[in-house]
Amino acid sequence: MTASVTELTVTAEDRRVAWLATAAVALSLVDAAIPSPLPGVKPGLANIVTLVVLQRYGWATAVWVSGLRVLAGSLLLGYFLAPGFFLSLTGTAFSLATLGLARHLPARWFGPVSLSILAAFAHIGGQLLLARAWLIPHDGVFLLTPVFAAAALVFGTLNGLIAAKLLMEPSAAATHR
Amino acid sequence: MHWLALLRPGDWLVMAGGAALVGLSLPLLWQGGFAERAIIRQNGQVYAEADLHSRRDFAVPGPLGTTLIAIEPGRARVVADPGPRQYCVRQGWLRRPGEIAICAPNRVSLQIAGRTRAYDSLSY
């Protein structure tokens, strides 16, 4: 076997991001398999991974993992560069920005549940704004805001609780930090 | 309950804030207002207006015959129409502002109106 001309050095951090992104993609697939009464109302299980990554490895890793998840998830589900991809990307960008700010909240008072709810609202808010600006340029888009907001609250709370539970458990990976 | 132990004080605050946001956004679902009146038109002219508070029946004459309209608390419908395709009858009960059943052959329409008008005019 000839040695490759280009040599990519894979760091432990790269491997970690890849593994975590894989977990997030798997949860995205589970998400897509759950029937939903309304397009846009989804549990967003992959955000559990984002929350855990944010707490354990920091915001930059969370951005990597989320970005890769959106990309790989859309390729696997076949909506890469379709409107759903941009909605997904916008929602993720908004929630990551929110998480970037919210993680500076005092940890004694605000746990993963707070972060999760805030991120969920940012996610749906960003998606609604993109939908209004680009896909359906009419204020009628906002008629369903109460439904989306309620879903964000419920699923944000549930995902936050699951993330909090996972973060309670000691992890071997956490010591690598 | 061990799930409750995962919540920190601020989390309750954020949850309450989120619930308040959902509550504040609820009026968006009823933007058109509640159904208050039924407007019956014959040949484009208002034939009758009825409050959706009590039971009433109307028999509206048209070029083909008589269209029967029933008003009930909160809803209204076309009961019978001499038109050939019966679209307006098959629409069933109308209960949201802006909803309209048009019996075109007999030139009769039944529309539900709320306090605010969602549309200036509709064309088909």
Side-chain angles (χ1 to χ4, degrees), chain A residues 97-160:
Chain A
T98 307
L99 286 174
L101 295 173
R103 75 200 172 106
H104 297 298
L105 288 168
R108 229 184 120 237
W109 298 95
F110 298 95
V113 177
S114 290
L115 296 183
S116 179
I117 294 173
L118 292 173
F121 273 104
H123 195 275
I124 196 63
Q127 290 192 326
L128 278 172
L129 288 179
L130 180 74
R132 170 65 182 83
W134 178 43
L135 295 172
I136 310 165
H138 183 266
D139 283 337
V141 175
F142 297 119
L143 283 178
L144 286 172
T145 305
V147 181
F148 290 136
L153 180 62
V154 172
F155 292 129
T157 308
L158 289 178
N159 289 343

Side-chain angles (χ1 to χ4, degrees), chain A residues 55 107-115 117-118 121 139 142-147 149-150 153 157-158 161-162 164-165 168, chain B residues 2-22 24-32:
Chain A
Q55 297 278 331
R108 229 184 120 237
W109 298 95
F110 298 95
V113 177
S114 290
L115 296 183
I117 294 173
L118 292 173
F121 273 104
D139 283 337
F142 297 119
L143 283 178
L144 286 172
T145 305
V147 181
L153 180 62
T157 308
L158 289 178
L161 283 172
I162 297 170
K165 181 102 176 67
M168 292 278 280
Chain B
H2 71 288
W3 284 104
L4 283 180
L6 297 170
L7 287 165
R8 294 172 207 177
D11 293 343
W12 291 104
L13 207 70
V14 173
M15 279 163 77
L21 211 65
V22 174
L24 282 176
S25 69
L26 272 181
L28 282 172
L29 274 182
W30 287 280
Q31 219 173 35

Side-chain angles (χ1 to χ4, degrees), chain A residues 56-131:
Chain A
R56 289 225 163 122
Y57 308 111
W59 188 68
T61 312
V63 172
W64 265 111
V65 169
S66 293
L68 285 172
R69 188 251 302 167
V70 171
L71 188 70
S74 68
L75 284 171
L76 284 172
L77 292 167
Y79 65 88
F80 180 58
L81 294 187
F85 170 75
F86 293 102
L87 284 172
S88 189
L89 199 63
T90 312
T92 305
F94 270 68
S95 61
L96 281 172
T98 307
L99 286 174
L101 295 173
R103 75 200 172 106
H104 297 298
L105 288 168
R108 229 184 120 237
W109 298 95
F110 298 95
V113 177
S114 290
L115 296 183
S116 179
I117 294 173
L118 292 173
F121 273 104
H123 195 275
I124 196 63
Q127 290 192 326
L128 278 172
L129 288 179
L130 180 74

Side-chain angles (χ1 to χ4, degrees), chain B residues 26-86:
Chain B
L26 272 181
L28 282 172
L29 274 182
W30 287 280
Q31 219 173 35
F34 293 96
E36 288 186 338
R37 281 173 301 126
I39 301 167
I40 301 164
R41 287 192 179 83
Q42 211 292 309
N43 213 0
Q45 308 298 316
V46 175
Y47 175 85
E49 280 197 34
D51 276 335
L52 292 178
H53 294 309
S54 51
R55 224 171 261 273
R56 261 181 95 178
D57 292 313
F58 288 93
V60 189
L64 294 187
T66 307
T67 300
L68 293 177
I69 287 169
I71 312 283
E72 283 193 9
R75 57 185 196 170
R77 70 165 171 162
V78 178
V79 180
D81 179 65
R85 280 171 292 271
Q86 301 285 303

Side-chain angles (χ1 to χ4, degrees), chain A residues 7-68:
Chain A
E7 207 57 60
L8 286 175
T9 43
V10 181
T11 63
E13 168 77 8
D14 292 340
R15 286 182 202 282
R16 188 160 61 203
V17 167
W19 271 114
L20 292 165
T22 310
V25 168
L27 285 175
S28 296
L29 295 184
V30 173
D31 234 13
I34 297 172
S36 155
L38 198 82
V41 175
K42 285 203 299 183
L45 296 170
N47 296 315
I48 298 168
V49 177
T50 309
L51 286 165
V52 172
V53 170
L54 179 76
Q55 297 278 331
R56 289 225 163 122
Y57 308 111
W59 188 68
T61 312
V63 172
W64 265 111
V65 169
S66 293
L68 285 172

